[in-house]
Amino acid sequence: MKSPKKGLSSWISLLRHTRLIPSLLALAVPALTVSATPAVKPRASVHLANLSVEERVEALLSRMTLHEKVGQLTQVGMNIPGPAKETTAEMVRNGQAGSVLWTLDSKEIQQLQEIAVKESRMQIPLLFGFDVIHGYKTLFPIPLGLASSWDPALVERMHAMAAHEATVSGITWNFSPMVDVSRDARWGRMLEGAGEDTYLGCAMARAQVRGIQGPRLGTPNRMLGCVKHFAGYGAGEGGRDYDSCLIPDVAFHNVYLPPFKAAIDEGVGSVMSAYMCLNDVPATGNLWLMKDILRGELGFRGLTISDSWSVASMTAHGFARNEEEAALLAANAGVDIDMGS
């Protein structure tokens, strides 16, 4: 959503109609303690170290208020002012944010994390996300250049180094790899992917996921990966970014979908929905795309997130009457988190 206040209202409205997958909580709960009651401040805490992740999630959910649940579905951009001029720190303290993007300042990251785990009622750690696409402190060639090496092992090592550097700074979620196949050189974002070849795109997708995440989620000095933009984003009309994509089923399944399948088969932990309309339906609210294809055909069981403001943008597409309806459509389509609220 375009402002913290309106975004929160929209997600509260949708939660009255549906219960979203608590994927973000599952990533944050391994070392949590939770309060015994949903009072404003925690009282005697119960340590959950001996419980499974699923049991910890359920224990947390049973003690959270509606606003706190909405907060975990909300990713805030650093210090974007809303009508009430809430700061990111205030939103974290009030349980209005589950993850943060657009900050690389390690001191700021540490301060926000301390607020989350010491001053917020539920004490749930934050995830910090950024687009680490071709290096962090050490810069490498752009992804299109790396793909031209035709050397997946080299690309994997490069992304492992970038992940190590980023996690030292506190970044835990990488919005990469970008696996959109594009065959129109006018599309500027082609530089973020592997180009026009589907086979090469699959090989690069697998290598990047292995480099970013390691052999499994939770590997030390590695990050949560996020394959994007699901799906068909590179086929924009006339090479124009955000433009509609009209893709026949044969081309969709044989050209544009395989790199996403490769990343998912490799174990990528999250998927980002695309901005644009796929065959006249916005990807972020596309039930067929996000459920039938992503969850059904590809068998993805991880976390889903919108691209920045793509939930609210469904009003501009004319697909939703207002931001509340846009939030409901995104949630029903299977989008777990609203990026950049």
Side-chain angles (χ1 to χ4, degrees):
M1 307 305 169
K2 293 184 179 179
S3 71
K5 187 174 182 180
K6 292 181 73 176
L8 187 65
S9 172
S10 300
W11 283 103
I12 288 172
S13 297
L14 73 90
L15 277 184
R16 300 189 189 282
H17 300 278
T18 185
R19 184 176 185 273
L20 299 186
I21 300 170
S23 306
L24 182 59
L25 286 176
L27 293 169
V29 295
L32 288 178
T33 60
V34 298
S35 61
T37 69
V40 175
K41 292 184 179 180
R43 296 194 291 186
S45 294
V46 179
H47 198 272
L48 303 178
N50 296 325
L51 300 180
S52 69
V53 170
E54 291 78 10
E55 289 171 329
R56 297 180 208 179
V57 169
E58 290 303 320
L60 282 168
L61 286 171
S62 69
R63 292 164 173 82
M64 293 171 73
T65 67
L66 181 61
H67 280 76
E68 288 166 338
K69 292 175 182 178
V70 172
Q72 289 300 311
L73 307 178
T74 303
Q75 182 174 85
V76 295
M78 275 302 299
N79 296 319
I80 294 179
K85 300 296 185 294
E86 299 99 333
T87 66
T88 302
E90 288 172 339
M91 294 185 72
V92 172
R93 187 176 290 108
N94 294 331
Q96 294 177 284
S99 54
V100 177
L101 74 164
W102 299 328
T103 179
L104 300 178
D105 187 325
S106 58
K107 291 183 179 179
E108 193 168 47
I109 290 171
Q110 182 178 356
Q111 290 170 352
L112 288 173
Q113 195 67 278
E114 287 183 354
I115 290 171
V117 300
K118 294 179 180 179
E119 299 180 31
S120 70
R121 192 181 72 86
M122 296 307 300
Q123 302 174 350
I124 300 173
L126 295 166
L127 294 176
F128 290 88
F130 199 75
D131 298 61
V132 184
I133 63 173
H134 61 107
Y136 187 70
K137 295 294 185 181
T138 304
L139 295 182
F140 298 92
I142 61 174
L144 186 61
L146 289 170
S148 69
S149 70
W150 286 79
D151 189 342
L154 175 65
V155 173
E156 180 181 344
R157 292 198 299 273
M158 185 279 293
H159 280 280
M161 182 184 294
H164 191 173
E165 291 182 351
T167 54
V168 168
S169 297
I171 305 296
T172 50
W173 193 355
N174 187 359
F175 301 122
S176 179
M178 195 278 263
V179 301
D180 296 302
V181 173
S182 179
R183 296 176 172 178
D184 191 330
R186 294 173 295 182
W187 190 54
R189 294 197 70 173
M190 181 184 282
L191 63 89
E192 295 181 52
E196 65 181 0
D197 187 84
T198 301
Y199 178 85
L200 178 60
C202 291
M204 292 297 113
R206 288 189 289 265
Q208 290 179 79
V209 171
R210 289 194 299 268
I212 293 167
Q213 294 189 167
R216 64 186 181 281
L217 284 173
T219 298
N221 301 320
R222 302 296 177 93
M223 313 165 69
L224 172 66
C226 184
V227 65
K228 62 183 186 183
H229 306 82
F230 196 74
Y233 188 41
E237 292 275 294
R240 293 182 293 269
D241 201 24
Y242 294 20
D243 209 348
S244 296
C245 300
L246 303 175
I247 307 175
D249 283 349
V250 171
F252 181 76
H253 282 87
N254 293 335
V255 176
Y256 298 98
L257 200 59
F260 288 96
K261 184 179 187 304
I264 290 167
D265 289 347
E266 199 62 45
V268 72
S270 60
V271 171
M272 183 187 296
S273 66
Y275 283 111
M276 83 302 159
C277 290
L278 173 64
N279 297 334
D280 292 331
V281 180
T284 298
N286 192 322
L287 188 66
W288 170 81
L289 179 66
M290 300 302 294
K291 283 196 173 177
D292 294 351
I293 299 298
L294 180 61
R295 300 293 190 184
E297 183 175 325
L298 300 186
F300 181 66
R301 294 295 178 266
L303 180 69
T304 57
I305 184 169
S306 73
D307 209 335
S308 55
W309 299 300
S310 69
V311 174
S313 293
M314 287 194 286
T315 60
H317 289 298
F319 193 65
R321 290 170 294 184
N322 50 47
E323 291 192 349
E324 286 71 22
E325 185 176 30
L328 180 60
L329 289 168
N332 285 339
V335 176
D336 296 327
I337 297 176
D338 180 19
M339 174 188 276
S341 295

